[in-house]
Amino acid sequence: MTDLLFSLLGAPNEDASIGILRETGYWDSPTAWADLGAQENNFSTVGNQQASPVAALVEKLVNSIDAVLLRRCLEAGLDPEGAAAPQGIREAAEQLLRIPHGNLAHCTAKELTDLAGHVGLVATGAKNLPNLTVFDDGEGQEPTGFPATLLSIGRSNKLRIPFVQGKFNMGGTGVLQFCGRHNLELIVSRRAETLKAHDPSWGYTVVRREDPQGGRRSSVYRYLAPDGAVLLSPGNPIPLDRLDVKSGSSLPVLAAGTIIKLFGYSLPPALRTNILFDLRNHIAALMTSPALPVRLYERRAGFQGHSLEANVEGLATRLERDTRDNLEFPPTAHTFSVGDQLLKANVYAFKRRTDGEGTSSASQKFRTSEGVIFTINGQAHGHYEKVFFKRKAVDMAFLAEDLLVIVDATAIDGRTREDLFMNSRDRIRSGELARAIERELEQLLNTHPLLRDLRARRRAELIQTRLADDQQLAEVLDNIIKRSPSLSALFITGTRLSDPYRTKNATDDRIIFLGREFPTYYRICKGENVGDAQVGRRFRVQFETDAVNEYFSRDSDPGTFTVNADGYPSLGLPTINALNGIVTWNFVLPEGVLANETITIYVEITDPSRVEPFKASFSRRVRAPDADRGGSELGKRKPPTVHGFGDRQLPSGLALPDIYAVRREQWSEHGFDRESALKVMRDRETTAFFVNVDNVYLASELRQRPESRSLAEAKFKYGLVLFGLAMLRADDEQDEVKGASGDRPERDCDADIQRFSRALAPILLPMIDGLSDLADDFGRTDEAEIADTG
């Protein structure tokens, strides 16, 4: 059967594979196939896995990493479920693979490449629908073990092994629906000889999808098993050059382990380039801190480059290694809690760089749309889009393209993990738990001192071309509002600041802080021992220390702490923000505390270097909530007042919108192209309108009316701005009506404005001119009719 195995490995596409199986008589023989997972209704499980083809592919890569760790554990004579085995992925990477501190960021480039030899991903076949092959030199499976391992669904194979990701025994099936028309997958495996395999053969099979038929209402996945067993091939090493390779150097030779070939894998169009580029970045964002790197091999025809191979070591690992070149400042580490569950967050702020194509964010080579990524043991389990940073409670719209937050949820208990993440590990469940985490993140980002400073600098960098015709704009708006007073609701009253973007550079007056891995002191700052705290609101306590910022959040030998209050067991864990020797602990008063009481909180801090912990205590006198704030965190913003119709003057304090002209050479900075029209950026202090004055439709109109270019351009600009203001107004009204429930789906009004203004641009000037002419015609017609009736 070796010839059949090598033919399937070398098949260039799904149709060729089906032809090979037809020639053997297997494809058309119903008795040669068995139900995947021994379940006829397996589509209900397989069809409910990852929504993204990349997330599904990452599950395969993670399973391969698990297999390598398990092989090393078994070769060390350890029971994977026993107490002597590593109790976490980081510990396994350090103990079994000798990776320093279990962190790939501490490895050299050569060490990374050597480690990446254990797990690989090969792209072959067509450019648009490539064949993707995942391989590893892990434990492998004997042919008789396939049904209980590689072909099983829902078995508890790895449920009690603490150092692997796989728990539910179904995530690996998520790739099937992204394979070709028949969802074909080739699975090949051989047990490592060091694990005393009973059968030295390679086992292999093909998984396919069969359409509903014969009264069966859903599809079923089946695998090739003539005579009730998978096919066999002699146990000789398999050169992976037997795959349908078209370019590049030789691939590894696999003596044991697992090979999985996915035929005609459907990647999004943006990821169908060389897999060393966009797909690599996307995989890294979903494997933020893997135990092992993965080696990528591009072997399709038509792709060229200095190298057709590269490593994926994870997003967080890359950022830790490349901080200076890509980040505005080193990532800041934070801990926060929801109930009694502790989470850790790293905040990354990317630099903006200018090249021949304009200015763009350094984040583009690290992630796509992800803003907040939630991980467990280094694998993404869900994320929030970048629009999260545009929320009013976060107020970081000017940094939305440059921010990334990675939340490590490894420490939460099993029940909380099940309540927060879907089993497919690519989505977050909605509910009170998720909303509580969102509120913590909103508070963390909104009050982050370095982000506030960077936001101010970003405004100054972005806004350099404000239009100088404010007086003309004021006259235009005054005239419009006199005709339609209801439009005044689109504006806010106020005065324009003389220089709202004046800010000192982020590096001004900053002293370089060199923290200690294990601090020599950790004490309450002067004056923080006593104070007030208000029911329903946070209160903070500041400590000073010589500890590194990531003292509590690092993976290796982190600091730990306990907090308690006499008589109040419900005291929650604090949110901790460390910045260069000053650490802010944010607390919420425990349930049941009453106004005018005094509560004392005791803190103990320790780490592996200490015999005795640092100890501290502080007291807070409890105050009742303010009547006008209702005890809320930020209070409630009063809704804008909408004035009635009638004769009135334009408000003297009208705050005019800031409008900025964007030329062709600035398109990349704003994500514009020839058809883009309007972009809006806003935070609590500023709303900026960026108008594409080199829009292709505006340019066409200007060519047709050379004598009135200025007038046409003004109509285009102000028409778009009024449209944008109306969209913002509608968005604010929806927030006021629905925002309190917390159930409104995340919506990016700024993105809507870009999309809808793009559609509006071709008709805007013809519409303005046409409606103006129509009004004149109607007026003359009305007068004629009155004269006739008279």
Side-chain angles (χ1 to χ4, degrees):
M1 287 292 185
T2 301
D3 290 343
L4 175 58
L5 171 58
F6 284 170
S7 295
L8 292 170
L9 284 171
N13 52 51
E14 183 184 73
D15 288 341
S17 301
I18 293 172
I20 293 168
L21 293 172
R22 275 209 166 98
E23 289 181 3
T24 63
Y26 289 143
W27 184 260
D28 298 311
S29 173
T31 60
W33 301 81
D35 294 336
L36 184 66
Q39 301 175 20
E40 186 179 14
N41 66 338
N42 52 41
F43 187 81
S44 62
T45 298
V46 177
N48 194 34
Q49 296 306 306
Q50 297 83 8
S52 157
V54 183
L57 180 63
V58 164
E59 282 292 326
K60 287 293 192 186
L61 297 173
V62 168
N63 286 342
S64 287
I65 293 173
D66 286 350
V68 174
L69 294 176
L70 282 167
R71 175 175 177 173
R72 291 300 183 93
C73 182
L74 293 169
E75 288 176 339
L78 300 173
D79 176 4
E81 299 181 6
Q87 296 303 298
I89 288 182
R90 292 277 165 248
E91 185 179 337
E94 183 172 21
Q95 180 178 338
L96 303 176
L97 298 170
R98 302 294 185 263
I99 296 173
H101 305 292
N103 187 344
L104 295 177
H106 297 165
C107 296
T108 65
K110 182 181 184 305
E111 289 170 339
L112 278 175
T113 298
D114 291 343
L115 288 167
H118 294 294
V119 179
L121 173 66
V122 186
T124 58
K127 284 187 176 181
N128 288 338
L129 290 174
N131 302 324
L132 297 181
T133 300
V134 178
F135 70 88
D136 66 73
D137 63 359
E139 59 173 341
Q141 301 298 330
E142 295 189 59
T144 55
F146 271 41
T149 54
L150 296 167
L151 300 171
S152 64
I153 296 176
R155 296 175 68 101
S156 56
N157 297 332
K158 298 188 286 187
L159 188 62
R160 295 177 179 83
I161 301 176
F163 59 87
V164 297
Q165 285 282 13
K167 301 293 182 186
F168 306 110
N169 190 227
M170 58 186 177
T173 63
V175 295
L176 290 170
Q177 283 196 270
F178 298 107
C179 295
R181 166 69 179 82
H182 295 278
N183 295 175
L184 236 57
E185 175 188 44
L186 172 65
I187 301 176
V188 187
S189 193
R190 178 176 185 260
R191 191 73 169 171
E193 293 180 359
T194 53
L195 304 183
K196 301 177 181 179
H198 299 291
D199 187 341
S201 303
W202 288 94
Y204 68 99
T205 187
V206 174
V207 178
R208 73 180 184 185
R209 176 180 177 179
E210 297 181 3
D211 294 336
Q213 58 183 343
R216 191 179 65 239
R217 291 185 295 177
S218 63
S219 298
V220 62
Y221 285 94
R222 311 191 79 202
Y223 67 92
L224 183 60
D227 303 319
V230 301
L231 300 171
L232 302 179
S233 182
N236 302 320
I238 294 180
L240 290 175
D241 283 335
R242 287 285 189 168
L243 293 168
D244 51 314
V245 298
K246 298 297 182 182
S247 63
S249 57
S250 295
L251 292 169
V253 176
L254 208 62
T258 300
I259 305 168
I260 296 177
K261 184 174 182 179
L262 311 171
F263 289 92
Y265 203 70
S266 181
L267 291 168
L271 301 183
R272 293 174 185 172
T273 57
N274 187 323
I275 66 168
L276 308 190
F277 303 145
D278 301 297
L279 182 59
R280 178 192 179 198
N281 292 339
H282 209 116
I283 291 173
L286 296 178
M287 299 172 58
T288 59
S289 302
L292 273 174
V294 175
R295 188 73 169 170
L296 302 188
Y297 305 84
E298 178 55 76
R299 293 296 184 267
R300 288 174 288 174
F303 289 107
Q304 299 179 350
H306 176 69
S307 174
L308 296 177
E309 301 175 14
N311 300 327
V312 177
E313 64 264 40
L315 175 57
T317 306
R318 286 180 67 191
L319 289 173
E320 190 171 344
R321 296 164 66 89
D322 300 333
T323 292
R324 178 173 298 180
D325 293 336
N326 296 292
L327 300 180
E328 290 282 355
F329 45 79
T332 58
H334 312 263
T335 62
F336 64 94
S337 63
V338 175
D340 59 351
Q341 303 298 312
L342 188 66
L343 299 98
K344 303 173 183 178
N346 279 356
V347 177
Y348 303 86
F350 291 92
K351 292 180 178 179
R352 296 189 70 80
R353 48 180 55 142
T354 302
D355 54 26
E357 298 182 357
T359 302
S360 60
S361 174
S363 68
Q364 291 180 358
K365 72 174 186 176
F366 292 97
R367 56 94 187 270
T368 53
S369 63
E370 301 89 357
V372 181
I373 301 174
F374 291 83
T375 69
I376 291 182
N377 286 326
Q379 182 185 0
H381 277 55
H383 72 273
Y384 295 143
E385 301 285 308
K386 290 182 290 188
V387 65
F388 183 87
F389 304 126
K390 297 181 181 181
R391 290 184 178 184
K392 292 181 176 63
V394 179
D395 200 29
M396 291 292 166
F398 278 81
L399 301 181
E401 295 299 319
D402 307 318
L403 280 184
L404 175 68
V405 180
I406 298 180
V407 178
D408 184 357
T410 303
I412 64 177
D413 61 36
R415 175 65 180 267
T416 304
R417 184 190 67 239
E418 294 168 353
D419 290 343
L420 184 59
F421 302 114
M422 301 291 288
N423 289 348
S424 57
R425 293 198 281 245
D426 67 340
R427 284 161 285 177
I428 299 170
R429 299 183 193 274
S430 60
E432 183 51 40
L433 176 59
R435 285 194 290 270
I437 292 174
E438 289 175 26
R439 288 192 293 269
E440 292 291 338
L441 289 172
E442 289 168 352
Q443 172 76 7
L444 186 159
L445 295 169
N446 180 265
T447 59
H448 195 297
L450 294 183
L451 293 185
R452 284 174 170 246
D453 183 69
L454 180 61
R455 177 182 59 190
R457 288 197 291 120
R458 280 285 187 273
R459 292 194 195 109
E461 293 168 3
L462 282 173
I463 301 171
Q464 299 174 356
T465 57
R466 185 192 311 188
L467 299 177
D469 51 358
D470 282 359
Q471 182 59 39
Q472 179 188 7
L473 174 60
E475 292 172 357
V476 169
L477 296 179
D478 189 14
N479 184 46
I480 291 174
I481 290 174
K482 283 180 180 178
R483 295 182 183 182
S484 180
S486 62
L487 287 178
S488 65
L490 298 179
F491 303 92
I492 58 172
T493 58
T495 57
R496 190 185 296 277
L497 299 177
S498 59
D499 188 357
Y501 308 116
R502 182 175 297 157
T503 175
K504 68 176 183 179
N505 189 285
T507 60
D508 290 352
D509 303 325
R510 183 172 298 171
I511 299 173
I512 296 176
F513 176 76
L514 299 175
R516 295 176 179 267
E517 180 181 9
F518 298 111
T520 60
Y521 64 91
Y522 206 113
R523 58 190 177 232
I524 291 180
C525 291
K526 184 177 180 180
E528 295 282 299
N529 298 82
V530 295
D532 290 343
Q534 191 173 28
V535 173
R537 299 188 65 196
R538 298 171 187 267
F539 69 92
R540 72 179 191 180
V541 179
Q542 288 192 319
F543 291 76
E544 56 183 356
T545 181
D546 58 352
V548 292
N549 290 337
E550 63 274 16
Y551 177 56
F552 290 122
S553 61
R554 65 192 181 205
D555 293 319
S556 180
D557 296 331
T560 59
F561 64 87
T562 60
V563 294
N564 62 82
D566 289 341
Y568 292 100
S570 63
L571 178 67
L573 296 173
T575 297
I576 302 176
N577 302 317
L579 185 61
N580 300 346
I582 299 298
V583 190
T584 303
W585 295 46
N586 294 282
F587 289 86
V588 175
L589 289 171
E591 296 178 3
V593 68
L594 301 176
N596 299 318
E597 286 189 52
T598 296
I599 181 173
T600 301
I601 296 176
Y602 302 90
V603 177
E604 290 193 3
I605 301 165
T606 191
D607 58 54
S609 73
R610 301 199 61 78
V611 177
E612 291 293 328
F614 298 110
K615 296 182 179 181
S617 64
F618 52 90
S619 299
R620 290 295 182 269
R621 183 174 179 272
V622 180
R623 294 192 293 110
D626 293 340
D628 62 336
R629 299 193 55 167
S632 66
E633 187 69 37
L634 297 172
K636 293 186 177 180
R637 181 169 59 91
K638 293 182 179 180
T641 300
V642 180
H643 298 284
F645 297 96
D647 294 333
R648 59 187 179 85
Q649 293 182 340
L650 187 68
S652 60
L654 183 70
L656 299 176
D658 289 334
I659 307 175
Y660 307 90
V662 177
R663 294 292 180 185
R664 179 187 297 270
E665 58 270 19
Q666 299 169 303
W667 281 357
S668 63
E669 180 178 351
H670 297 278
F672 279 1
D673 59 28
R674 63 198 298 267
E675 296 186 16
S676 301
L678 177 67
K679 171 185 173 181
V680 176
M681 296 182 68
R682 57 176 174 164
D683 56 24
R684 292 185 186 276
E685 296 182 15
T686 305
T687 299
F689 292 79
F690 299 89
V691 179
N692 182 10
V693 293
D694 284 335
N695 174 277
V696 64
Y697 301 109
L698 173 60
S700 176
E701 291 289 336
L702 294 181
R703 285 195 297 270
Q704 297 175 36
R705 50 180 91 185
E707 73 288 348
S708 57
R709 291 175 60 91
S710 298
L711 177 60
E713 187 169 311
K715 289 180 179 180
F716 187 79
K717 289 184 298 191
Y718 302 147
L720 286 173
V721 170
L722 286 171
F723 161 76
L725 286 165
M727 289 282 291
L728 294 176
R729 169 68 176 172
D731 185 60
D732 287 343
E733 287 177 343
Q734 285 190 317
D735 281 345
E736 290 156 13
V737 173
K738 300 179 182 179
S741 68
D743 294 326
R744 185 167 67 89
E746 192 82 78
R747 190 185 69 256
D748 189 349
C749 180
D750 301 341
D752 289 343
I753 290 173
Q754 287 197 63
R755 185 168 66 255
F756 297 149
S757 66
R758 184 187 185 92
L760 178 62
I763 66 168
L764 180 59
L765 285 177
M767 179 179 65
I768 292 173
D769 293 341
L771 291 177
S772 176
D773 294 341
L774 183 64
D776 292 340
D777 291 340
F778 270 32
R780 288 192 292 270
T781 301
D782 290 343
E783 291 173 3
E785 290 177 352
I786 293 172
D788 290 341
T789 58

